Amino acid sequence: MLLVEDEESIADVLAIALRYHRFQVMTAGTVREALALTERVRPDAALLDVMLPDGDGRALGKELRARMPGLAVVFVTARDAPGEIVGALGFGDDYITKPFHIDEVVARVTAVLRRTRSADVLPHPPPLRYGDLELDETTYCAHRAGRMVELTPTEYALLRFLVRNGGRIVTKEQLLRHVWAYEHAPAESTVVETYISYLRRKLAPLGPPLITTRRGVGYGLA
């Protein structure tokens, strides 16, 4: 996969997440670098920022698609006007606006590849495990002690973040930022407490208490 993003911090986070899900990622920060890379390597997909220092990511996507007709192209940008989206989708496969969830980007790139490539080129991430809990990153299903746990997408995202942090305590602010994408949530927000309660009720019949509360700090797994 080719990742073209000029903001280094965003590029690093995206590359780490994609590699975790077993994508092979090569990165570029400019149109010139991207074109030079694709002269040596032919990627299956391109994740392109629209606003680049030396050109327009949409024009880059059009050029790459002309060179490699089977290339899957996904745009990432802060521009969300309907005209912008429609124009980009004229020669791209998907369009993701900032701010975004990292997991959403991975899921949508995978979905695009599923439409444009045979299943044997798709990455198969390993399941996430913590004790008797297992999360399947391909099907987005959860099992505890071998039994399926029916979760909503938000419940799954919350539990996955707790599992990825192992036995560490994560704060309410971290959960709001990573699960709900809230940068500045209202102080009185109770959405985290509500969803923690939902998870506890669903996990409780299958084993001993799993989610712990560190009062005044946050939540973790026992």
Side-chain angles (χ1 to χ4, degrees):
M1 157 166 283
L2 172 65
L3 168 62
V4 186
E5 168 62 63
D6 64 310
E7 290 190 41
E8 189 173 342
S9 59
I10 295 177
D12 286 345
V13 170
L14 286 171
I16 289 169
L18 289 164
R19 287 172 181 140
Y20 175 84
H21 288 274
R22 299 189 179 182
F23 285 93
Q24 293 183 342
V25 182
M26 55 183 185
T27 61
T30 66
V31 171
R32 179 180 296 179
E33 290 175 3
L35 293 175
L37 279 174
T38 55
E39 288 179 357
R40 303 192 302 270
V41 181
R42 295 178 67 86
D44 291 310
L47 184 61
L48 310 176
D49 187 11
V50 167
M51 294 180 284
L52 295 167
D54 60 343
D56 190 315
R58 293 166 299 183
L60 172 60
K62 191 172 184 179
E63 172 67 20
L64 293 175
R65 180 64 66 80
R67 294 186 182 189
M68 297 170 281
L71 181 72
V73 177
V74 178
F75 296 105
V76 178
T77 181
R79 298 176 176 176
D80 59 359
E84 297 273 357
I85 297 173
V86 171
L89 289 177
F91 46 85
D93 299 290
D94 206 348
Y95 191 101
I96 304 170
T97 56
K98 299 176 181 178
F100 50 74
H101 288 284
I102 295 297
D103 291 328
E104 177 193 0
V105 175
V106 175
R108 289 173 71 167
V109 169
T110 302
V112 167
L113 280 170
R114 188 173 289 116
R115 296 197 304 266
T116 59
R117 290 287 188 277
S118 61
D120 60 349
V121 305
L122 293 178
H124 299 284
L128 295 176
R129 292 188 176 91
Y130 189 90
D132 61 356
L133 182 67
E134 181 176 297
L135 303 182
D136 189 320
E137 292 284 83
T138 303
T139 63
Y140 292 89
C141 291
H143 292 81
R144 188 176 189 194
R147 296 171 61 185
M148 180 175 284
V149 185
E150 296 286 346
L151 299 177
T152 66
T154 301
E155 291 167 349
Y156 181 91
L158 173 57
L159 186 57
R160 175 172 52 189
F161 189 74
L162 292 173
V163 169
R164 284 181 173 173
N165 281 277
R168 293 192 296 271
I169 298 295
V170 293
T171 67
K172 178 179 176 179
E173 290 72 23
Q174 287 174 309
L175 291 170
L176 287 169
R177 186 166 61 251
H178 290 280
V179 178
W180 283 272
Y182 291 168
E183 288 297 333
H184 304 287
E188 66 275 11
S189 173
T190 61
V191 66
V192 173
E193 291 84 351
T194 299
Y195 275 86
I196 288 289
S197 176
Y198 293 160
L199 283 178
R200 281 176 168 151
R201 285 204 297 268
K202 291 185 176 183
L203 295 170
L206 305 177
L210 182 63
I211 300 175
T212 63
T213 301
R214 182 72 60 83
R215 196 168 299 279
V217 181
Y219 302 91
L221 298 180

